[in-house]
């Protein structure tokens, strides 16, 4: 069986909605309020925070106790008296412990495990977004819920998964790079072991903040993409910009609040959710 294209379904939905509204002598109803995605963002952050906590735990077990030996080796003008390390430079010591740290983390968070995390979140965002449009269609069609035909959905979820696998893998990768630089530069400059250790520990919070940014930004972007695809497929060409309504709203987006825009003619700021960490949403305008 060959399916009609998405434009066909969008026009059918729009015409049916208008016909049923006219038959009842009613105006097009107001769309339900879009659901909050904060719960999804925090759920994703909890997943990514677990990676950061693993980095922290293994760093405290593997690397931090060895920093005094690394500093001592760097300061020494002769081979260490430690027979196990007599032929190793401080750079080789750093390489050894960083390799061990990378190996332990890699065994816990494999490529398959990281992909599962991204796929789970793609499904959760899609389910939440899809339920909203089911409610929207139900309200417009007065109790009738049309079948959503979405041939693009699997491709969008695959794209989200691919992007997020790369982003998740970048969390430990950037952390390892930064920690290695801190220890190497500290040893080179003759810094005290306790000062180097303090700087390494300072990366825990930075890495945790990066995980939070990824979680918020990626969930918001994917939800925004689904809004645009589902609205345009249903023949909804315009939306009203809605901000989060608090002091964190950026000024450019605050100026868009309450204004109506077309999907095919975005404002200079881009559509809601497209900017980094944007929390704005596109409320469908039913004409």
């Amino acid at each position: 069986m060959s399916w009609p294209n998405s434009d066909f379904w969008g026009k059918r939905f729009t015409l049916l909605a208008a016909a049923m509204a006219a038959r009842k002598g009613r105006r097009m109803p107001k769309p339900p309020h879009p659901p909050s995605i904060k719960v999804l963002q925090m759920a994703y952050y909890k997943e990514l925070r677990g990676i950061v906590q693993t980095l922290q735990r293994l760093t405290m077990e593997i690397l931090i106790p060895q920093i005094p030996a690394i500093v001592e080796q760097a300061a020494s003008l002769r081979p260490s008296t430690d027979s196990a390390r007599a032929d190793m430079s401080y750079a080789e010591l750093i390489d050894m412990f960083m390799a061990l740290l990378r190996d332990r983390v890699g065994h816990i968070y494999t490529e398959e495990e990281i992909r599962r995390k991204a796929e789970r979140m793609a499904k959760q965002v899609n389910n939440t977004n899809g339920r909203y449009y089911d409610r929207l269609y139900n309200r417009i069609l007065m109790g009738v819920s049309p079948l959503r035909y979405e041939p693009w959905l699997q491709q969008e979820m695959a794209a989200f998964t691919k992007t997020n696998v790369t982003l998740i893998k970048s969390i430990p990768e950037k952390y390892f790079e930064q920690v290695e630089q801190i220890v190497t530069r500290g040893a080179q400059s003759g810094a005290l072991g306790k000062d180097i250790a303090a700087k390494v520990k300072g990366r825990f919070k930075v890495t945790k903040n990066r995980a939070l940014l990824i979680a918020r930004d990626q969930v918001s972007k994917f939800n925004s993409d689904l809004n645009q695809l589902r609205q345009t497929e249903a023949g909804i060409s315009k939306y009203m910009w809605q901000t989060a309504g608090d002091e964190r709203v950026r000024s450019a987006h605050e100026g868009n609040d309450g204004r109506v825009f077309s999907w095919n003619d975005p404002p200079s700021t881009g559509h809601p959710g497209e900017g980094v960490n944007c929390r704005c949403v596109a409320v469908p305008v039913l004409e």
Side-chain angles (χ1 to χ4, degrees):
M1 175 179 180
S2 61
W3 286 86
N5 60 33
S6 60
D7 184 57
F8 170 86
W9 289 101
K11 289 177 180 177
R12 271 184 66 93
F13 168 76
T14 304
L15 291 172
L16 180 59
M20 293 189 72
R23 187 182 305 164
K24 295 289 185 178
R26 297 176 54 189
R27 302 179 66 179
M28 290 291 279
K30 184 178 180 181
H33 191 277
S36 172
I37 58 173
K38 188 174 182 179
V39 173
L40 295 172
Q41 291 172 324
M42 289 299 100
Y44 199 21
Y45 171 55
K46 183 177 179 181
E47 291 274 357
L48 303 188
R49 187 179 60 192
I51 298 176
V52 180
Q53 290 171 336
T54 300
L55 292 173
Q56 180 175 349
R57 175 176 60 82
L58 293 177
T59 299
M60 296 300 294
E61 291 178 7
I62 296 171
L63 183 62
I64 295 296
Q66 302 301 329
I67 289 179
I70 293 171
V71 171
E72 180 183 355
Q73 190 75 342
S76 177
L77 298 177
R78 62 183 185 278
S80 170
T81 55
D82 186 337
S83 60
R85 298 174 182 165
D87 298 325
M88 299 184 71
S89 68
Y90 76 91
E92 290 172 325
L93 284 177
I94 294 173
D95 288 345
M96 181 178 72
F97 293 121
M98 289 303 301
L100 179 58
L101 186 56
R102 286 184 170 95
D103 184 66
R104 290 281 298 277
V105 172
H107 273 83
I108 297 172
Y109 294 103
T110 62
E111 178 96 15
E112 182 180 356
E113 173 61 21
I114 290 173
R115 180 170 295 279
R116 281 198 295 265
K117 288 181 183 296
E119 288 176 341
R120 279 198 301 268
M121 186 46 56
K123 290 177 182 178
Q124 289 178 36
V125 176
N126 173 58
N127 289 340
T128 298
N129 187 276
R131 283 194 295 269
Y132 169 73
Y133 285 95
D134 286 340
R135 293 199 307 273
L136 175 68
Y137 301 159
N138 188 281
R139 179 175 297 187
I140 293 173
L141 300 181
M142 303 169 191
V144 179
S145 296
L147 176 66
R148 285 187 283 113
Y149 172 59
E150 300 173 332
W152 43 263
L153 181 57
Q154 289 304 314
Q155 178 175 289
E156 294 300 316
M157 293 182 69
F160 173 89
T161 299
K162 182 178 179 180
T163 297
N164 279 260
V165 166
T166 300
L167 287 171
I168 295 173
K169 288 167 67 175
S170 76
I171 294 175
E173 288 170 356
K174 285 185 177 294
Y175 172 80
F176 294 143
E177 180 182 343
Q178 292 165 352
V179 166
E180 190 165 358
Q181 288 177 355
I182 289 171
V183 178
T184 301
R185 290 173 182 171
Q188 286 174 336
S189 64
L192 295 176
K194 64 178 182 179
D195 293 335
I196 298 174
K199 287 184 178 180
V200 170
K201 294 174 184 177
R203 303 318 297 175
F204 298 155
K205 184 176 181 180
V206 174
T207 307
K208 192 176 293 184
N209 289 340
R210 173 172 167 73
L212 179 59
L213 175 62
I214 290 173
R216 285 176 171 171
D217 183 60
Q218 288 300 301
V219 169
S220 179
K221 278 184 168 58
F222 190 41
N223 186 64
S224 175
D225 290 343
L226 293 176
N227 281 334
Q228 180 174 0
L229 288 164
R230 284 184 168 131
Q231 287 183 32
T232 54
E233 185 174 60
I236 300 171
S237 61
K238 297 180 181 180
Y239 64 85
M240 184 183 72
W241 190 295
Q242 185 177 90
T243 68
D246 57 29
E247 69 283 354
R248 292 169 51 201
V249 175
R250 61 198 78 180
S251 58
H253 291 190
E254 190 173 16
N256 291 340
D257 191 38
R259 296 176 60 189
V260 174
F261 298 97
S262 296
W263 282 115
N264 61 4
D265 186 20
S268 58
T269 54
H271 293 305
E274 287 186 352
V276 176
N277 216 11
C278 175
R279 298 171 298 140
C280 303
V281 294
V283 181
V285 173
L286 307 178
E287 299 177 301

